[in-house]
Amino acid sequence: MSTINHPNFGAMNDKRVIIFDTTLRDGEQSPGFSMNIDEKIRMAEALAALGVDVMEAGFPAASPGDFESVSRIAENVKGVVIAGLARAAVNDITRAAEAIRAAERKRIHTFISTSPLHMKYKLRKEPEQVLEAVTSSVTLARSFTDDVEWSAEDGTRTDIDFLCRCVEAAIKAGATTINIPDTVGYAVPEDMLRIFSTVRERVPGADQVILSAHCHNDLGLAVANTLAAVHGGARQIECTINGIGERAGNASLEEVVMAIRTRPDANPYHHNIDTTRILRTSKLLSTITGFDVQPNKAIVGRNAFAHESGIHQDGMLKNAATYEIMTPESVGWQKTSLVMGKHSGRAAFRDKLNTLGYGDLGENALNDAFNRFKDLADRKKIVYDEDIVALVDDEVVRGNQRIKFGSLEVWAGSKAKPRALLELEVDGEKKIADERGDGPVDAAFNAIHAIFPHQAALQLFSVGAVTEGTDAQARCTVRLEEEGKSVDGQGADTDTIVAAVRAYIHALNKLITKRARTAPEALSA
Ligand code: KIV
Ligand code: ZN
């Protein structure tokens, strides 16, 4: 394989694999995973620190909110290529170009469907029209930036001869990356190997561009298919944190990256990911979206490095390699440790945050997090690193909010009707409500309604534990829905009802921000 000279990466070593993260685009567009702009920027900064090479920040033509978040990421997040997605349409491509304008390094990613099914039913276009659109869209994108990626949507179900013609047209028009997505997660590894090898061998100029794989997980094969594509010549991997994405999701970044790192004999490639930041990035995404990964999720699941059976534990004590193919530390797990107590001061807390990777918290967020830590240390016997991570993420995702939690007292039990006395701060003004309900959570939510009347409907309420034990912090998720739009809010606290109230007002604040962009008068108290 010859060396490729890439506009954003320079001379590329043949074994180097570009990690293209699409958590903020393919991931964010899946149901329940939407993020607001501040959350996207926080996530984008975490992805940059993780070492992704390209970050697909969004789909600027999809909505004004998408446009704004891509522009803000382009302005603020440095050291990584920022990509904006665009269909093969003039308006899409121009919007993408405008949104990424401020980026240090930029890319336009344009796509069109190429499979018979998509061309006939979705696009209602003849193959020759699609070919023309490939040339015109890539040519237009190239007028804005040297780094253009072209994707053949539903590429793995495309006739291979037609796929090769499209790829050739895209390369001739100036595309520097060619992505062949397995859009519906239909392929098996043998297909991927064959498709990528064929394109490389047959298409003139294919050895001068980066080939890319974008695999969906409908058959649970996204990671295997991605690796097979790399064996066939792909040198860019499109993936997401925790494998989030349309339907069953995309190839999971952490799995692909660790498969390459753990099995260099089978996958002799390299990437720039700082794997020790994987867990923290995964947890940040869970905190922002409110979806924890399943316990047995590879790499980042709670059980990924847990050894329960006596035989395994015995082996582990003798030599960890008996049952561990990678060290937990290599992906960011830390030995569970007693971090600090209630006598620890601000300096120790700041120091702890640094070791946990939160060196860049602003002074206000640091102060708020420190106060909550002191409060937690008063109530909880053992404060683990995980507790601090949950608490700080909880604080950081909140930012400047109109409604702030003040205090809560609850009376509940099997006899009296549960009662909640709640104090909130709304636009800087303290407000109190004393309400009853069909349970303590219901009473507390009624109190929120009394202080801040609103029409949003509660769609989901879930509770999980941050660590083990009866004094563990609860992490709650609340989903509110208004006029067909839903948002998720999260809250953590040792008191489950307080965590629930925090989650509720987090969701309410998100709805207020969302509505303010379209109808400023809505949702006001
Ligand atoms: O799955 C897919 O085909 C996509 C394209 C837009 C790249 O997400
Ligand atoms: Zn996709």
Side-chain angles (χ1 to χ4, degrees):
M1 215 180 262
S2 57
T3 312
I4 293 171
N5 206 5
H6 187 276
N8 266 318
F9 299 109
M12 294 233 346
N13 167 322
D14 174 39
K15 297 293 179 195
R16 160 97 151 88
V17 173
I18 292 172
I19 301 296
F20 175 116
D21 179 275
T22 183
T23 305
L24 294 171
R25 200 277 298 169
D26 214 325
E28 204 260 350
Q29 76 193 31
S30 53
F33 283 89
S34 67
M35 304 174 213
N36 66 29
I37 295 185
D38 290 336
E39 291 168 342
K40 283 186 189 172
I41 291 179
R42 173 98 189 124
M43 198 62 218
E45 279 163 354
L47 290 168
L50 178 68
V52 305
D53 300 292
V54 186
M55 181 188 304
E56 188 159 58
F59 188 174
S63 72
D66 266 50
F67 180 88
E68 195 186 336
S69 53
V70 177
S71 318
R72 294 262 310 274
I73 290 172
E75 280 159 24
N76 292 296
V77 182
K78 303 296 169 200
V80 48
V81 176
I82 308 291
L85 184 70
R87 286 164 296 196
V90 174
N91 179 57
D92 272 41
I93 295 171
T94 334
R95 289 291 278 166
E98 278 170 37
I100 59 168
R101 188 178 295 144
E104 226 169 44
R105 297 193 291 158
K106 39 180 155 290
R107 169 178 299 188
I108 294 177
H109 175 193
T110 182
F111 71 98
I112 191 165
S113 294
T114 52
S115 67
L117 212 60
H118 277 221
M119 288 193 292
K120 182 167 176 196
Y121 294 103
K122 189 180 122 174
L123 299 178
R124 297 181 195 283
K125 280 191 196 310
E126 292 301 319
E128 294 311 310
Q129 293 174 292
V130 168
L131 259 174
E132 278 166 26
V134 172
T135 302
S136 58
S137 56
V138 173
T139 307
L140 178 61
R142 268 305 295 255
S143 70
F144 296 110
T145 169
D146 287 348
D147 187 341
V148 171
E149 171 170 340
W150 176 76
S151 284
E153 191 183 3
D154 207 16
T156 54
R157 293 194 300 171
T158 297
D159 168 72
I160 190 70
D161 294 333
F162 184 63
L163 181 66
C164 288
R165 286 180 68 205
C166 290
V167 171
E168 187 174 351
I171 295 174
K172 278 206 178 113
T176 42
T177 298
I178 298 290
N179 185 36
I180 306 174
D182 185 29
T183 303
V184 291
Y186 177 74
V188 294
E190 291 73 16
D191 296 331
M192 299 304 284
L193 187 63
R194 180 175 32 80
I195 292 168
F196 278 81
S197 311
T198 309
V199 167
R200 266 195 68 78
E201 279 156 23
R202 271 216 227 150
V203 179
D207 59 343
Q208 288 308 306
V209 297
I210 302 288
L211 297 185
S212 165
H214 173 114
C215 299
H216 280 270
N217 207 28
D218 301 65
L219 293 174
L221 291 171
V223 170
N225 283 342
T226 302
L227 291 172
V230 174
H231 284 277
R235 289 295 178 270
Q236 173 175 284
I237 289 174
E238 302 201 352
C239 47
T240 58
I241 301 295
N242 297 345
I244 69 169
E246 284 281 1
R247 304 180 309 280
N250 288 61
S252 125
L253 180 147
E254 56 278 11
E255 294 175 20
V256 166
V257 154
M258 288 315 288
I260 292 176
R261 189 180 143 151
T262 310
R263 291 297 308 274
D265 55 331
N267 303 305
Y269 313 106
H270 59 90
H271 52 69
N272 279 349
I273 297 295
D274 174 357
T275 61
T276 62
R277 298 188 79 95
I278 284 179
L279 185 68
R280 172 185 322 166
T281 317
S282 155
K283 284 199 186 267
L284 177 65
L285 181 65
S286 297
T287 305
I288 288 175
T289 59
F291 287 105
D292 279 335
V293 297
Q294 81 265 23
N296 61 322
K297 165 83 175 63
I299 320 291
V300 292
R302 174 159 33 92
N303 292 353
F305 294 91
H307 303 276
E308 191 75 22
S309 94
I311 297 174
H312 287 207
Q313 285 178 351
D314 180 53
M316 284 291 296
L317 288 173
K318 290 174 177 145
N319 182 339
T322 50
Y323 288 102
E324 263 175 18
I325 58 168
M326 55 196 142
T327 65
E329 291 79 13
S330 67
V331 294
W333 290 95
Q334 312 214 336
K335 295 221 165 20
T336 306
S337 55
L338 172 64
V339 286
M340 291 184 303
K342 58 181 171 185
H343 301 299
S344 309
R346 191 179 302 267
F349 184 68
R350 191 194 291 267
D351 210 49
K352 186 70 196 174
L353 291 186
N354 272 332
T355 60
L356 291 173
Y358 292 102
D360 50 356
L361 277 189
E363 225 24 61
N364 287 349
L366 178 80
N367 283 343
D368 290 348
F370 181 67
N371 291 337
R372 281 189 62 189
F373 157 70
K374 286 301 243 185
D375 184 44
L376 181 67
D378 262 344
R379 286 180 291 141
K380 192 172 186 297
K381 278 192 272 285
I382 304 175
V383 180
Y384 294 104
D385 286 355
E386 290 96 316
D387 288 315
I388 297 208
V389 168
L391 184 152
V392 175
D393 281 347
D394 196 51
E395 208 54 56
V396 167
V397 295
R398 267 165 181 71
N400 297 325
Q401 302 200 322
R402 271 186 70 191
I403 312 173
K404 289 191 174 134
F405 177 77
S407 63
L408 175 70
E409 279 188 63
V410 173
W411 294 268
S414 56
K415 288 192 179 144
K417 186 151 172 105
R419 177 181 157 208
L421 181 63
L422 177 67
E423 185 192 300
L424 298 180
E425 201 181 291
V426 181
D427 296 328
E429 196 187 326
K430 283 195 177 13
K431 297 197 173 193
I432 293 178
D434 187 346
E435 292 291 320
R436 292 178 187 267
D438 289 336
V441 174
D442 191 45
F445 287 0
N446 287 342
I448 298 177
H449 260 279
I451 293 177
F452 195 90
H454 55 276
Q455 302 302 320
L458 179 68
Q459 275 193 327
L460 173 148
F461 169 57
S462 72
V463 188
V466 173
T467 56
E468 322 233 299
T470 50
D471 68 345
Q473 286 194 85
R475 184 167 30 223
C476 293
T477 299
V478 160
R479 181 174 300 163
L480 296 180
E481 195 262 348
E482 190 211 40
E483 289 177 5
K485 292 200 171 62
S486 55
V487 291
D488 288 342
Q490 288 78 43
D493 199 278
T494 45
D495 185 313
T496 309
I497 319 293
V498 172
V501 167
R502 283 184 179 280
Y504 197 112
I505 59 180
H506 183 214
L508 210 47
N509 276 310
K510 277 184 165 180
L511 264 189
I512 294 169
T513 317
K514 217 178 186 130
R515 296 289 278 125
R517 275 190 228 122
T518 46
E521 75 287 355
L523 262 171
S524 56

